[in-house]
Amino acid sequence: MIRFGPAGIGKVKEAISNLEMYHKLGLRTCEIAFTYGIYIKEKEDAIKIGKKAKELGIKLSIHAPYWINLNSADKKKVEESKKRILDCCKIGTLMKAYRVVFHSGFYGKMEREETYQNIKKRILEMLIEIKKQKYTPKLAPEIMGKINVFGSVEEISRLVKETGCSFCIDFAHILARYKSYRIKETLSEFKNAKELHIHFSGIEYTEKGERRHIRTTEHAWKELLKNMPKDKEIVIINESPAPFEDALSGLKIYKK
Ligand SMILES: [Zn+2]
């Protein structure tokens, strides 16, 4: 089964009515965007939204704040980054969100292998804390679209194998990073996973990788959908500038 849905659930006051509208239109997933901060603060709101989503069969995930660098040379920044991700796991537990997606960090002046080891270490530390606190969402480091940002297909799949964390495959980012969707090769890197959490949109890019997300064309949707495996649970979150409309167009093309 493929679930389609947008990045964004709207303001706290609109979240329930948005979920109802998504449901009515056939959308079965939604990623709550805490990209500029965790704006759902009240426990009651989180529980209410989670309950509603479950009732409507909408699978929730969370996108953690952008201000994260698990490879910072500044220890304080690393701790703050971990806290932001763990805070998402905490509220995500109340909402029954199944994934917390995050951008892991930057290479900076460091070697790729050293960066990898730093980020791996911090993910392992967070996994211990998640277990201790009994948080339920899985950590999902995302494949990134800029060449100077940590998160190649190989790096993320290695993290999955070596830490047991989950992942987020962003095919728009892969197109920007590798100049091709590389769908078959990428899926084979994650072939052991029963569930795929995917981001998709159109994208503008240069030789350095991602420039910006743009609307999702019919052609791009078809390219993605024809390559999706039939034996997995798949969640596709649209991250275009019109994520709701584009998730709906994806769903329509899929149904056809
Ligand atoms: Zn993404």
Side-chain angles (χ1 to χ4, degrees):
M1 176 190 183
I2 304 184
R3 294 168 185 270
F4 292 83
I9 197 170
K11 292 178 189 154
V12 177
K13 278 185 188 163
E14 301 162 349
I16 298 286
S17 59
N18 281 341
L19 283 174
E20 281 165 346
M21 176 185 58
Y22 294 167
H23 172 81
K24 212 177 276 171
L25 295 167
L27 301 177
R28 292 291 179 267
T29 184
C30 170
E31 188 154 293
I32 300 168
F34 289 153
T35 41
Y36 294 100
I38 300 174
Y39 68 86
I40 301 173
K41 297 188 190 294
E42 302 300 329
K43 205 175 156 181
E44 296 71 43
D45 288 329
I47 292 170
K48 216 160 62 185
I49 291 166
K51 228 173 136 185
K52 191 70 186 177
K54 191 161 186 225
E55 189 187 306
L56 297 170
I58 296 178
K59 203 160 189 164
L60 293 179
S61 56
I62 287 174
H63 198 303
Y66 287 136
W67 325 114
I68 282 169
N69 186 5
L70 297 173
N71 188 44
S72 175
D74 181 343
K75 278 223 173 91
K76 193 168 160 251
K77 282 191 181 142
V78 172
E79 288 312 310
E80 285 167 358
S81 297
K82 281 165 60 184
K83 186 172 186 304
R84 288 189 183 110
I85 296 169
L86 289 169
D87 284 347
C88 288
C89 293
K90 186 177 180 184
I91 193 121
T93 301
L94 297 174
M95 288 177 162
K96 298 186 173 69
Y98 92 120
R99 293 275 188 283
V100 168
V101 175
F102 60 92
H103 301 171
S104 308
F106 302 84
Y107 303 112
K109 291 193 183 99
M110 250 175 251
E111 294 290 332
R112 306 237 148 181
E113 181 61 21
E114 198 183 357
T115 301
Y116 174 82
Q117 294 300 340
N118 281 337
I119 289 176
K120 176 184 167 182
K121 182 168 168 263
R122 278 123 200 191
I123 286 181
L124 287 170
E125 289 163 0
M126 287 192 288
L127 288 172
I128 290 171
E129 189 63 18
I130 286 168
K131 208 171 165 193
K132 204 167 117 194
Q133 302 292 344
K134 299 195 171 72
Y135 294 152
T136 51
K138 292 204 168 132
L139 288 185
E142 181 171 349
I143 293 171
M144 299 302 296
K146 286 196 180 111
I147 284 158
N148 65 351
V149 175
F150 176 88
S152 67
V153 173
E154 296 73 17
E155 284 162 341
I156 300 299
S157 77
R158 190 176 165 200
L159 281 175
V160 172
K161 284 171 197 143
E162 295 181 4
T163 72
C165 70
S166 191
F167 56 89
C168 171
I169 303 174
D170 189 319
F171 279 108
H173 286 168
I174 291 174
L175 176 62
R177 193 170 184 125
Y178 299 93
K179 320 304 171 209
S180 139
Y181 283 124
R182 296 188 23 171
I183 297 178
K184 289 219 168 78
E185 298 95 307
T186 302
L187 292 179
S188 84
E189 290 274 346
F190 297 96
K191 62 176 181 293
N192 293 329
K194 289 189 192 88
E195 257 177 325
L196 301 177
H197 189 76
I198 293 173
H199 281 178
F200 198 55
S201 70
I203 197 151
E204 237 176 55
Y205 55 94
T206 66
E207 65 287 351
K208 288 179 186 148
E210 173 185 4
R211 197 149 146 229
R212 64 185 181 110
H213 288 224
I214 54 175
R215 292 293 297 263
T216 325
T217 63
E218 191 176 336
H219 177 78
W221 270 126
K222 283 183 174 161
E223 193 59 32
L224 178 77
L225 295 175
K226 77 174 185 215
N227 285 299
M228 287 294 101
K230 303 261 184 301
D231 58 343
K232 291 188 194 295
E233 290 288 319
I234 299 174
V235 165
I236 305 179
I237 298 293
N238 194 280
E239 285 190 317
S240 91
F244 166 67
E245 289 83 351
D246 284 12
L248 270 185
S249 76
L251 174 65
K252 250 181 234 158
I253 291 164
Y254 175 61
K255 277 188 175 163
K256 256 194 241 161

